[in-house]
Amino acid sequence: MRPRPLRPRDQLLPAPEPPFALRAFRALFRFLIAVGIGVGGTLAWQAHGDTARQMIATAYPERLGWIAPPAPTTAPAPQRAPAALASATPPAPSVDQEQLKAMAADLAAVRQSVEQLAAQVGSTQQQVSDEIAKLHDEIAKLQAAEQDILNKLPTPPPPRPAPAPARRPPPAFAAPPPPPGQVR
């Protein structure tokens, strides 16, 4: 039988793990590639988004027709002379004095109701702060009573020390048995 050749040492052991710095660099490089792809895609979509949407919508109209960009609804107005623009502006609406008086009365009523609400909130806040002060006084009284009760309780006696374990007396000295085969 022929002896088996020895394998080199590097085939017997697993490959060593790369250093931390190299692994960190590789991870950072992969992250930067992913970010670059995302930024590139975003810029491309901003530059050619409507065209790409139109191409996708026409390629698959039954499934992706909804993705088509909306058609422009208004055409840009042709340039006109400034005099024509001035005459095309609508006239300012006339101010109705009765409507102004009604609005003023409504605003006064709203102001009055807001002031009433503010007064109610203020009184409610005062009641709540009074209740909180009462609760603080009650808590202080309860804490004082608890301390008084704790002061009246007798202190427990100190614990007794545990008794020391009793020692066994050493066994009486006995002569060793005679070896086998020897008679006395």
Side-chain angles (χ1 to χ4, degrees), residues 135-162:
L135 288 175
H136 281 295
D137 291 343
E138 291 294 323
I139 289 172
K141 288 178 185 176
L142 287 173
Q143 287 175 341
E146 178 186 16
Q147 189 62 37
D148 187 38
I149 290 171
L150 289 175
N151 289 339
K152 289 180 180 178
L153 288 177
T155 58
R160 292 188 213 168

Side-chain angles (χ1 to χ4, degrees), residues 52-159:
R53 287 171 67 184
Q54 185 64 40
M55 288 173 60
I56 292 169
T58 55
Y60 303 100
E62 64 280 347
R63 290 191 181 182
L64 297 174
W66 60 271
I67 204 169
T73 56
T74 59
Q79 294 292 335
R80 295 183 185 176
L85 287 175
S87 65
T89 58
S94 62
V95 178
D96 188 12
Q97 294 297 327
E98 290 181 23
Q99 284 182 344
L100 288 178
K101 288 179 184 177
M103 284 182 180
D106 289 342
L107 285 175
V110 167
R111 183 179 296 125
Q112 184 180 7
S113 65
V114 166
E115 288 173 356
Q116 288 175 353
L117 286 173
Q120 288 175 354
V121 167
S123 66
T124 303
Q125 284 180 342
Q126 182 62 37
Q127 290 173 354
V128 167
S129 63
D130 291 344
E131 290 294 323
I132 289 174
K134 288 178 185 176
L135 288 175
H136 281 295
D137 291 343
E138 291 294 323
I139 289 172
K141 288 178 185 176
L142 287 173
Q143 287 175 341
E146 178 186 16
Q147 189 62 37
D148 187 38
I149 290 171
L150 289 175
N151 289 339
K152 289 180 180 178
L153 288 177
T155 58

